Amino acid sequence: MKKFTVRINKKSHTVTVDENMPLLWVLRDILDMKGTKYGCGVGSCGACTVHLNGSAVRSCQLPISALANQDITTIEGLAEKGDHPVQKAWLDVDVAQCGYCQSGQIMSAAALLKSTPKPTEEDIENFMTGNICRCGTYTRIKKAILQAAASK
């Protein structure tokens, strides 16, 4: 076990864990941040998406030892009051059904809008491809992202 200090949602956290422990488990099991979800464990579904230095990444594939001096943002830190344009659009469009994948979807969508403020439908489809929604709310997800882009 080793001691690591990581910067999550603009706060430093020191944890003593195995150096290979994925960020996902540090967030959920050690720091009690339950917003980031476990889906597949192999980086294929997107449920565990967080931002690493502003880019969308899969936290289930990131060992804690690789994260020193990096800025990590989780769904809890996306907007202090939960009022990020993507979060607001998600509610307006009523995207979620079961809601399990939604934090990962929202984090990916926010990263997309940061890099491409006015995405086309094709941009959205290409960027969001790695996020799986078992309920099939893809049409509403796309609509919410377009709405969030229009609100900026």
Side-chain angles (χ1 to χ4, degrees):
M1 302 288 252
K2 287 183 158 181
K3 195 176 277 194
F4 298 94
T5 300
V6 290
R7 199 167 42 251
I8 302 168
N9 301 331
K10 300 179 182 175
K11 294 180 184 174
S12 287
H13 300 270
T14 300
V15 296
T16 303
V17 296
D18 182 277
E19 65 185 315
N20 295 313
M21 179 179 267
L23 173 60
L24 172 64
W25 300 120
V26 172
L27 293 171
R28 292 184 59 78
D29 294 349
I30 308 300
L31 300 175
D32 201 33
M33 294 180 185
K34 304 293 188 192
T36 304
K37 304 298 185 205
Y38 171 78
C40 65
V42 295
S44 295
C45 74
C48 69
T49 302
V50 298
H51 293 174
L52 181 63
N53 300 322
S55 297
V57 296
R58 306 301 193 241
S59 63
C60 71
Q61 296 297 295
L62 287 173
I64 193 69
S65 58
L67 300 173
N69 301 314
Q70 310 276 342
D71 287 315
I72 300 159
T73 305
T74 68
I75 190 72
E76 293 92 344
L78 187 60
E80 189 175 316
K81 298 178 182 175
D83 59 356
H84 185 281
V86 173
Q87 291 170 308
K88 289 163 78 173
W90 238 248
L91 293 172
D92 289 347
V93 176
D94 198 22
V95 171
Q97 281 188 17
C98 82
Y100 196 81
C101 71
Q102 298 307 299
S103 64
Q105 297 275 0
I106 289 169
M107 294 304 287
S108 289
L112 166 63
L113 292 181
K114 184 176 181 186
S115 67
T116 309
K118 299 293 181 193
T120 64
E121 289 190 20
E122 185 177 356
D123 292 334
I124 294 168
E125 289 168 9
N126 289 335
F127 195 90
M128 299 297 290
T129 295
N131 287 81
I132 297 171
C133 174
R134 290 186 177 199
C135 300
T137 64
Y138 299 111
T139 302
R140 293 193 308 249
I141 289 168
K142 188 187 313 177
K143 184 178 178 183
I145 295 170
L146 290 169
Q147 180 177 314
S151 75
K152 289 185 142 194

